[in-house]
Amino acid sequence: MSTDSTAAADDWKRWHEQRVETVSAPHGPLSLTGTHWLGDYPEGQLPAIPGQWAEDGDEVVLRAAAEDGLTLDGEPFGGEVRLGADSGAGASRVALGERRLMVMRREGLWAVRDFDPDSPARRAFQGIVATPYDAGWSVPGRFTAYENQSTVQVENADGQARGLGLGGELAFQVSGVERTLQVTVEGDGSLWAVFADASSGQGSYRFRFLRTSAPGADGRVAVDFNRVTLPPCAFADHFICPFPPPGNTLPVAVEAGERNLDAR
């Protein structure tokens, strides 16, 4: 193995170890025990979560008594507070003991997510099955932006169809044959693809995520399938991951990156 390949393999190993630490963190994906859409609870009482929760335009109103045991910004809470969407579970303003209650908004709808470090999924976690680094799965690619971003309706893991914004096409070669994926352009210019392949459901999870850095001005970008990840819904049933859009199922087996949860 060349010096460059050895360095890349070592870097991938560190990346994989960090991924395992991230998903198994106390408030990582494995700890999600519920996503409660406020519209489904007009009375404001959420399952196993104290207080009264109500959506009010661009905010959520939480009313709670001191004896409910909630904390707000780390301090005991009783009264009324207006909340915006949290940036993540670790940054949630409201907690119940070790549980983090994250306020989120999707397509104008409000929900509260319950992250519990003592979740069954986190306690049962054995690791992530991932294929060791293979330089052959790190290939050059070229991004071509659509003239206008399109939004397609795709089924999500919770059975609901939602819009997925697609900003262009990512082209690359696998075994000498050009393949393409439709991709979302993130706020920082990086690319994200939801895709399936010939190994999906047969050695790999039913679909996976591919991310790249922002392409250069000429559209060139490195495509590294060694860093393909499992979607959050592989770790907890309460995530609403989008399924691959039409055309994003590769006819070849991508035997690289994260493949599945370790079921030992």
Side-chain angles (χ1 to χ4, degrees):
M1 183 180 292
S2 68
T3 301
D4 287 346
S5 295
T6 299
D10 289 343
D11 191 42
W12 178 90
K13 183 179 179 181
R14 288 189 292 271
W15 169 83
H16 174 62
E17 291 171 347
Q18 181 60 52
R19 272 283 294 169
V20 172
E21 290 180 8
T22 298
V23 301
S24 61
H27 301 104
L30 288 162
S31 70
L32 182 63
T33 59
T35 296
H36 309 296
W37 297 96
L38 299 190
D40 294 336
Y41 302 94
E43 75 288 351
Q45 296 178 330
L46 307 182
I49 296 176
Q52 295 282 326
W53 302 76
E55 49 188 315
D56 185 13
D58 291 334
E59 295 176 307
V60 167
V61 178
L62 168 62
R63 299 180 179 89
E67 55 266 29
D68 287 331
L70 294 174
T71 60
L72 177 69
D73 299 329
E75 299 295 331
F77 171 70
E80 178 178 309
V81 64
R82 304 182 75 86
L83 303 166
D86 290 314
S87 59
S92 66
R93 298 187 61 195
V94 182
L96 179 63
E98 294 300 313
R99 291 159 61 188
R100 298 291 180 265
L101 306 176
M102 189 195 84
V103 177
M104 61 170 279
R105 194 179 194 187
R106 292 284 176 84
E107 297 186 328
L109 302 177
W110 289 97
V112 174
R113 278 183 164 163
D114 187 352
F115 289 85
D116 185 353
D118 195 39
S119 72
R122 184 167 181 260
R123 285 189 273 110
F125 181 65
Q126 298 292 318
I128 300 173
V129 177
T131 301
Y133 180 83
D134 181 347
W137 282 107
S138 182
V139 297
R142 182 178 294 276
F143 171 69
T144 303
Y146 295 145
E147 185 173 340
N148 295 299
Q149 176 172 300
S150 65
T151 299
V152 296
Q153 293 290 311
V154 298
E155 186 178 354
N156 282 224
D158 64 350
Q160 299 294 317
R162 295 183 176 86
L164 177 66
L166 298 172
E169 186 176 271
L170 179 63
F172 50 88
Q173 288 195 357
V174 176
S175 300
V177 179
E178 182 167 290
R179 307 293 183 186
T180 61
L181 290 172
Q182 299 179 85
V183 296
T184 297
V185 181
E186 302 281 42
D188 61 358
S190 63
L191 308 179
W192 170 52
V194 185
F195 78 98
D197 64 276
S199 74
S200 298
Q202 303 181 56
S204 296
Y205 193 71
R206 54 183 173 167
F207 62 97
R208 292 180 284 170
F209 289 173
L210 169 70
R211 297 184 185 276
T212 78
S213 60
D218 58 0
R220 294 183 182 179
V221 62
V223 180
D224 191 356
F225 284 96
N226 292 287
R227 301 203 182 197
V228 161
T229 61
L230 298 176
C233 54
F235 303 104
D237 294 334
H238 304 284
F239 285 105
I240 53 174
C241 306
F243 289 172
N248 268 28
T249 297
L250 298 173
V252 295
V254 178
E255 297 178 342
E258 296 183 354
R259 307 292 296 280
N260 232 320
L261 290 183
D262 193 333
R264 288 176 296 178

